[in-house]
């Protein structure tokens, strides 16, 4: 057969072939581009072509070769596209998904949210405030004298080169923020993180969390406070919970008390957290000192109020049997995963 005819025949074959799957594409590749392809032997025919046709023949052969390559690249793309389309349409969209581990709430958040919820039910409103505070809101307004040991560089993290700005040492600073901005009646809770320059150990950390409470109105009494705190304790620790109030001292309250909740000494954790007494100290509280009201522009002749500050970590540790406070701040996934079932 005339070699020119052979070339046209192969060219027509290349242009008309359209393999629809990977296997027939491979057959195409082997036939036209493989090591023993059908084009190769035609090059050897060159010597049999008369010299006036050699140039034309060479060009036709090269055209054949590049056509084969181009066609192959095009077909390859089409086959790939078709196979992903097939994959998608063959997918079973009703199959259940393995969602893996999607994260969980931190035990401190779980307890904090529970506390917020308990107080919201009786009309307390959440106030969130800054962690970087000034000396006035954290100490002066709260009736903490200049020479009070809590102001010491040892306990308070001051900002670099500043005597005025610090990381709040308690959420009581929010009391001053709210009282200077709102008029009584005031009924707020302020959850948040606080900082103290303390040596880190199994029992204490330089950061922890509190929920502050403040209630100011006419004729608020100590009995009101005690009833509210008893309600809180029973919601938080169970309906039969026993509490005790011990007289204490805080610069911003008068009289002041600390509230303990009866936990018993059944487990190693309660033994350790209660220092063997069975009583877990959960909060400080008291009647807002008249000086604090005056400092914040509220007339102590007209208004009275109570305040409290609940520590969150100790309750979280008791609830989940955590013996070392440091575990709460290390963010070890093996620890955190254990709370994935809790909301
Ligand atoms: N601010 C105190 C602390 O960090 C806790 C506290 C005690 C808060 C008595 C109060 C309170 O509101 O009335 O230890």
């Amino acid at each position: 057969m005339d070699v020119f005819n052979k070339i046209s025949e192969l060219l027509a074959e290349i242009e008309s072939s359209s393999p629809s799957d990977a296997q027939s594409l491979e057959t195409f590749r082997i036939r036209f581009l493989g090591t023993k392809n059908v084009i190769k032997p035609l090059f050897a025919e060159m010597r049999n072509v008369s010299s006036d046709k050699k140039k034309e023949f060479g060009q036709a052969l090269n055209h054949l070769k590049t056509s084969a390559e181009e066609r192959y690249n095009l077909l390859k793309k089409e086959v790939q596209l078709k196979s992903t389309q097939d994959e998608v349409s063959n997918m079973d969209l009703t199959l259940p998904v393995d969602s893996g581990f999607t994260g969980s709430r931190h035990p401190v958040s779980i307890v904090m949210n529970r506390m917020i919820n308990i107080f919201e039910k009786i009309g307390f409103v959440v106030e969130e405030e800054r962690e970087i505070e000034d000396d006035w809101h954290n100490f002066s307004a709260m009736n903490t004298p200049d020479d009070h040991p809590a102001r010491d560089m040892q306990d308070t993290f001051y900002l670099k080169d500043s005597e005025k700005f610090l990381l709040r040492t308690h959420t009581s600073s929010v009391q001053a923020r709210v009282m200077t901005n709102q008029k009584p009646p005031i009924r707020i809770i302020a959850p948040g993180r606080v900082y103290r320059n303390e040596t880190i150990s199994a029992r204490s950390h330089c950061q922890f969390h509190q929920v502050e409470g403040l209630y100011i109105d006419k004729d608020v009494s100590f009995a009101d406070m005690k009833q509210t705190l008893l309600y809180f304790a029973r919601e938080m620790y169970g309906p039969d919970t026993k509490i005790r109030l011990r007289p204490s001292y805080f610069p911003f309250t008068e009289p002041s008390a600390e509230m303990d909740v009866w936990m018993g000494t059944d487990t190693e954790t309660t033994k350790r957290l209660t220092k063997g007494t069975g009583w877990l100290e959960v909060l400080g509280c008291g009647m807002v000192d008249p000086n604090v009201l005056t400092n914040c522009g509220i007339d102590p002749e007209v208004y009275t109020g109570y305040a409290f500050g609940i520590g969150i970590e100790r309750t979280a540790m008791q609830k989940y049997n955590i013996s070392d406070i440091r575990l709460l701040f290390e963010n070890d996934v093996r620890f955190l995963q254990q709370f994935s079932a809790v909301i």
Side-chain angles (χ1 to χ4, degrees), residues 15-60:
E15 252 132 50
S16 64
S17 42
S18 54
S20 58
D21 54 32
Q23 206 182 341
S24 40
L25 178 71
E26 182 60 5
T27 312
F28 178 93
R29 190 192 65 80
I30 291 167
R31 179 161 166 74
F32 294 104
L33 303 167
T35 41
K36 289 182 180 161
N37 67 63
V38 289
I39 302 174
K40 240 184 212 172
L42 292 177
F43 281 90
E45 294 291 328
M46 184 65 101
R47 60 189 135 90
N48 302 328
V49 174
S50 61
S51 52
D52 59 329
K53 295 265 177 176
K54 271 195 199 316
K55 186 175 172 200
E56 195 189 335
F57 181 69
Q59 282 172 346

Side-chain angles (χ1 to χ4, degrees), residues 107-304:
V108 167
S109 300
I110 297 168
V111 171
M112 188 150 90
N113 289 343
R114 176 81 191 112
M115 289 179 177
I116 291 171
N117 194 256
I118 291 171
F119 284 106
E120 278 182 337
K121 273 204 254 176
I122 53 168
F124 283 78
V125 174
V126 173
E127 285 287 343
E128 282 187 302
E129 267 296 347
R130 62 211 76 190
E131 292 180 11
I132 295 177
E133 252 309 348
D134 57 43
D135 175 270
W136 190 81
H137 289 89
N138 195 79
F139 292 129
S140 310
M142 301 312 291
N143 199 34
T144 306
D146 278 348
D147 55 1
H148 195 281
R151 285 199 179 211
D152 224 322
M153 300 298 277
Q154 297 234 312
D155 295 313
T156 307
F157 288 117
Y158 281 89
L159 264 58
K160 198 161 179 263
D161 302 326
S162 171
E163 287 181 4
K164 189 173 168 216
F165 292 104
L166 46 84
L167 296 180
R168 67 179 179 193
T169 61
H170 53 185
T171 44
S172 301
S173 57
V174 185
Q175 289 190 34
R177 289 266 163 208
V178 171
M179 282 191 275
T180 48
N181 283 324
Q182 296 177 24
K183 297 223 169 324
I186 291 170
R187 185 159 27 186
I188 60 107
I189 43 166
R193 188 178 301 163
V194 302
Y195 304 85
R196 282 182 209 171
N197 193 355
E198 273 173 29
T199 315
I200 297 173
S201 70
R203 299 181 57 88
S204 62
H205 209 281
C206 60
Q207 56 172 337
F208 50 99
H209 298 78
Q210 296 182 328
V211 173
E212 191 80 12
L214 176 70
Y215 180 35
I216 309 228
D217 204 344
K218 289 175 181 154
D219 303 321
V220 177
S221 71
F222 195 91
D224 293 334
M225 179 183 81
K226 192 174 166 192
Q227 196 56 37
T228 303
L229 295 179
L230 181 63
Y231 154 79
F232 160 70
R234 296 207 160 149
E235 289 283 310
M236 188 75 211
Y237 305 99
D240 301 322
T241 300
K242 285 193 197 59
I243 62 163
R244 74 175 183 192
L245 288 176
R246 279 178 294 107
S248 184
Y249 170 79
F250 297 103
F252 27 92
T253 41
E254 182 57 40
S256 305
E258 275 167 302
M259 187 177 95
D260 300 339
V261 172
W262 178 251
M263 292 293 163
T265 49
D266 297 346
T267 68
E268 274 310 306
T269 310
T270 47
K271 240 183 253 170
R272 197 171 315 167
L273 286 172
T274 66
K275 295 187 191 147
T277 65
W279 290 101
L280 183 70
E281 186 193 314
V282 295
L283 60 86
C285 60
M287 300 306 291
V288 180
D289 193 294
N291 288 340
V292 174
L293 293 175
T294 308
N295 291 344
C296 298
I298 292 174
D299 186 351
E301 298 295 329
V302 182
Y303 293 104
T304 50

